[in-house]
Amino acid sequence: MTDQSSNQMWGGRFAAGPDAIMEAINASIGFDQRMAAQDIAGSRAHAAMLAATGVISDSDAQAIREGLLTVLSEIQSGSFQFSTALEDIHMNVEARLKEVIGEPAGRLHTGRSRNDQVATDFKLWVRDQFDAAEIGLLALIRALLTQAEAGADWVMPGFTHLQTAQPVTWGHHMMAYVEMFGRDLSRVRDARARMNESPLGAAALAGTSFPIDRQMTAEALGFDRPAANSLDAVSDRDFALEFLSTASICAVHLSRFAEELVIWSSAQFRFVTLSDRFSTGSSIMPQKKNPDAAELIRAKVGRIYGANTALMMVMKGLPLAYSKDMQEDKEQVFDAADNWMLALAAMEGMVKDMTANRDSLAAAAGSGFSTATDLADWLVRVLGLPFRDAHHVTGSLVAMAETKGCDLPDLTLDDMQSVHGDITDDVYSVLTVENSVNSRQSYGGTAPDQVRTQIKRWKARL
Ligand code: ARG
């Protein structure tokens, strides 16, 4: 006889139940209950397959499959009593199934183990999150395309080192983020395709002697095929690592954009006005409108990348096959997924609602000698100067304008000719920001025509 308090799933060889601390460190039900729907879907597919292959009777499979739906509805309605003593979602569901349908419940775990079960559930959960990320990214890309289209020819300063560099267009800047989020989207799709192999039927680690049909369960659960090596199938968490690294890279992109929005919405820049719906006020300073959503998005990369690092460290050095360390995978992924989806949605909302201040952008575009490179290029193109000499001449003209406290187009032709005698008044044609951006016609350049070409390409792609 085993002790009353020993585990009903594996208590056979145990004389005593676990210490309370053991139960606390061992249990995952506090978080893995989020995989209830996936667990039940996996078990229903497994039961159907066990009947189809003659391992269990049709009537037992029928009872199991229906009973599992009852359990699912209890969980969804909130009436299900989760028990820490039953460790995890897998044992909580199975124990309740036993209460609901009795003896046939004990046949469900034939030819499988919690090791392939948890890998299957978790893969199904992560796969759903890849799909949610795809939807979130597509919505954000669409919002950026709308901004880009509206301001394809609005001029603004382009920066390097956050110092004015050359004029660019608003559309071009928005499209830079479309490219980044587009790569995130392709990473999501790649990783999702790669992960879509079913662990179910790998059993504890070695496969099973029952004549199971792994193809059948794989298909029922929307996997492309069964995973080909049972040891790998139960111990692989690459899919979670790829999810977290994909999320991390995307979070980096989100945080860079968020940082720009924080800067751009400041009184010193006034490049954009964020909507009231995505800003907050200050309880003491009545004039304030703070870009909190942007700041929080900027910060989310910390926890998302933290989750990535944490799981990398959990997996590092684990011998094959399953080790309980791997139970630490879920909280990291759950938290990162929640925050990634939230950040994507908040960014989409902010981008949709924000107003680009065309006049402020244009005023800033011309400041800081932003057309100096155009001037140097003119000296090369029209006067045939080597670029290095043209750079030097332009540098002298910039210094002169700086001394006079004016911009490059405000220098007189006499001023210009005092530095290089061959300069003609044709030079003024390249000193306006409009001409500057219009001249950047190289593929992928900032000229409005080029920006519109890229917008069109993206729209066709979506
Ligand atoms: N709760 C466990 C986890 O999340 C399920 C697998 C347990 N397997 C085992 N052999 N103890 O990883």
Side-chain angles (χ1 to χ4, degrees), residues 26 28 31-32 87-88 90 113-115 118 237 322-324 326-327 329-330:
N26 199 38
S28 54
F31 48 88
D32 68 14
E87 270 186 56
D88 55 25
H90 325 294
S113 146
R114 271 190 298 152
N115 297 346
V118 72
R237 291 295 180 274
Y322 179 86
S323 294
K324 195 64 173 254
M326 288 158 71
Q327 180 167 289
D329 56 3
K330 287 165 218 63

Side-chain angles (χ1 to χ4, degrees), residues 186-201:
S186 80
R187 267 183 283 275
V188 163
R189 288 173 174 164
D190 283 354
R192 189 206 190 278
R194 193 164 25 253
M195 71 168 291
N196 205 27
E197 295 184 341
S198 173
L200 196 56

Side-chain angles (χ1 to χ4, degrees), residues 157 159 162 263-272 357 360-361 364:
F159 300 91
L162 198 56
I263 296 173
W264 291 355
S265 62
S266 69
Q268 288 68 27
F269 272 75
R270 290 188 194 283
F271 283 7
V272 297
N357 302 324
S360 312
L361 290 168

Side-chain angles (χ1 to χ4, degrees), residues 66-324:
E66 277 168 20
L68 285 167
L69 288 183
T70 306
V71 177
L72 180 63
S73 68
E74 288 175 2
I75 293 172
Q76 284 168 343
S77 74
S79 67
F80 192 96
Q81 292 294 314
F82 291 107
S83 150
T84 330
L86 288 166
E87 270 186 56
D88 55 25
I89 186 63
H90 325 294
M91 298 205 288
N92 270 267
V93 168
E94 196 185 318
R96 179 66 188 138
L97 182 67
K98 178 109 189 276
E99 289 169 6
V100 176
I101 67 168
E103 191 261 353
R107 301 186 190 280
L108 170 60
H109 213 53
T110 316
R112 76 168 185 190
S113 146
R114 271 190 298 152
N115 297 346
D116 58 336
Q117 192 179 355
V118 72
T120 303
D121 295 2
F122 195 31
K123 267 196 167 180
L124 291 173
W125 197 92
V126 170
R127 199 176 67 186
D128 282 350
Q129 295 300 309
F130 272 127
D131 292 342
E134 170 162 359
I135 290 168
L137 279 163
L138 283 169
L140 176 54
I141 289 170
R142 287 205 180 89
L144 286 162
L145 284 171
T146 302
Q147 283 285 354
E149 213 165 18
D153 57 0
W154 298 357
V155 291
M156 68 178 283
F159 300 91
T160 61
H161 313 265
L162 198 56
Q163 308 289 318
T164 302
Q166 295 173 355
V168 296
T169 49
W170 171 257
H172 198 48
H173 204 118
M174 292 299 107
M175 292 304 289
Y177 284 105
V178 167
E179 293 294 332
M180 287 181 246
F181 294 123
R183 286 193 299 275
D184 292 332
L185 181 63
S186 80
R187 267 183 283 275
V188 163
R189 288 173 174 164
D190 283 354
R192 189 206 190 278
R194 193 164 25 253
M195 71 168 291
N196 205 27
E197 295 184 341
S198 173
L200 196 56
L205 75 168
T208 174
S209 56
F210 291 101
I212 60 168
D213 182 349
R214 293 191 58 208
Q215 191 67 45
M216 182 180 167
T217 46
E219 264 167 41
L221 296 169
F223 287 111
D224 295 328
R225 63 193 81 85
N229 181 296
S230 62
L231 289 168
D232 176 50
V234 294
S235 61
D236 162 36
R237 291 295 180 274
D238 292 7
F239 62 95
L241 292 171
E242 278 202 81
F243 179 79
L244 293 173
S245 55
T246 302
S248 295
I249 296 172
C250 180
V252 167
H253 293 153
L254 287 165
S255 83
R256 295 181 74 176
F257 192 23
E259 166 69 355
E260 297 208 302
L261 294 179
V262 170
I263 296 173
W264 291 355
S265 62
S266 69
Q268 288 68 27
F269 272 75
R270 290 188 194 283
F271 283 7
V272 297
T273 305
L274 299 176
S275 75
D276 289 355
R277 290 172 4 114
F278 285 93
S279 311
T280 59
S282 158
S283 51
I284 177 166
M285 297 165 282
Q287 86 283 12
K288 294 211 60 181
K289 194 165 142 184
N290 294 327
D292 293 44
E295 294 165 81
L296 288 162
I297 292 169
R298 186 173 60 184
K300 291 297 184 194
V301 66
R303 64 202 290 169
I304 294 172
Y305 191 72
N308 184 45
T309 308
L311 187 56
M312 287 280 187
M313 291 307 102
V314 167
M315 295 309 295
K316 169 197 169 297
L318 285 188
L320 301 186
Y322 179 86
S323 294
K324 195 64 173 254

